[in-house]
């Protein structure tokens, strides 16, 4: 049963006007202060999108499905989805929607390319309760 659907950006606007792709390669090249700043921003973005949702503090097993809509071919599905998965699950813990993101709770993750959308690059994230 699906219990959450989020549409998240895959770019962050930088102070110099350029956009940073939220991929693992790009994030790993930043200093720790910039990494932390981006993670805090992403957490706020997740919470803004789910604010008002019931804080169920789900303590069961769940799976994720991530669908990437990329701007250009240089996007790397694995790198972008890895950041989205990690940052989203951490934000959901901060918000209180899930209790943990360990291997006993987050039991599977599938990522797909949904296609090119040069006007609205994004990642669609769905969480499903699992009973097994």
């Amino acid at each position: 049963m699906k219990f959450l659907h989020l549409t998240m950006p895959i770019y962050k606007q930088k102070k110099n006007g350029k956009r940073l792709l939220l991929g693992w390669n790009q994030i790993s090249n930043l200093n720790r202060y910039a990494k932390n700043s981006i993670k805090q921003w992403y957490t706020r973005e997740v919470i803004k999108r789910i604010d008002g949702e019931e804080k169920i503090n789900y303590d069961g097993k769940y799976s994720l499905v991530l669908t990437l809509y990329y701007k250009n071919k240089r996007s790397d599905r694995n790198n972008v989805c890895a950041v989205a998965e990690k940052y989203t699950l951490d934000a959901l813990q901060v918000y209180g929607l899930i209790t943990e993101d360990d291997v006993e709770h987050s039991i599977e993750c599938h990522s797909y390319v949904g296609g090119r959308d040069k006007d609205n690059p994004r990642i669609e994230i769905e969480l499903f309760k699992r009973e097994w």
Side-chain angles (χ1 to χ4, degrees), residues 20-127:
L20 174 70
L21 177 64
L22 299 175
W24 207 249
N25 290 340
Q26 292 78 7
I27 299 293
S28 65
N29 289 329
L30 300 173
N31 67 50
R32 66 182 178 172
Y33 301 108
K35 288 178 190 177
N36 189 50
S37 174
I38 289 171
K39 187 172 181 184
Q40 289 175 357
W41 168 81
Y42 196 93
T43 298
R44 288 190 304 272
E45 290 296 310
V46 168
I47 291 172
K48 183 169 51 174
R49 285 164 172 77
I50 62 173
D51 198 28
E53 295 279 333
E54 180 185 355
K55 291 185 181 181
I56 58 174
N57 204 11
Y58 182 64
D59 192 35
K61 296 179 186 311
Y62 57 86
S63 62
L64 289 90
V65 175
L66 301 107
T67 306
L68 174 65
Y69 295 89
Y70 61 91
K71 180 177 180 173
N72 59 52
K73 293 186 292 187
R74 291 180 302 199
S75 299
D76 183 324
R77 178 188 53 83
N78 291 328
N79 287 329
V80 175
C81 289
V83 170
E85 177 186 1
K86 177 63 179 154
Y87 285 6
T88 299
L89 291 179
D90 287 351
L92 294 177
Q93 284 184 269
V94 169
Y95 186 76
L97 196 68
I98 61 173
T99 57
E100 294 290 338
D101 64 353
D102 59 23
V103 295
E104 290 186 8
H105 293 83
S106 179
I107 60 169
E108 65 182 343
C109 180
H110 301 279
S111 62
Y112 303 94
V113 173
R116 183 176 184 198
D117 190 339
K118 65 179 183 173
D119 298 323
N120 185 23
R122 65 196 180 281
I123 190 159
E124 302 283 338
I125 303 167
E126 298 172 296
L127 269 76

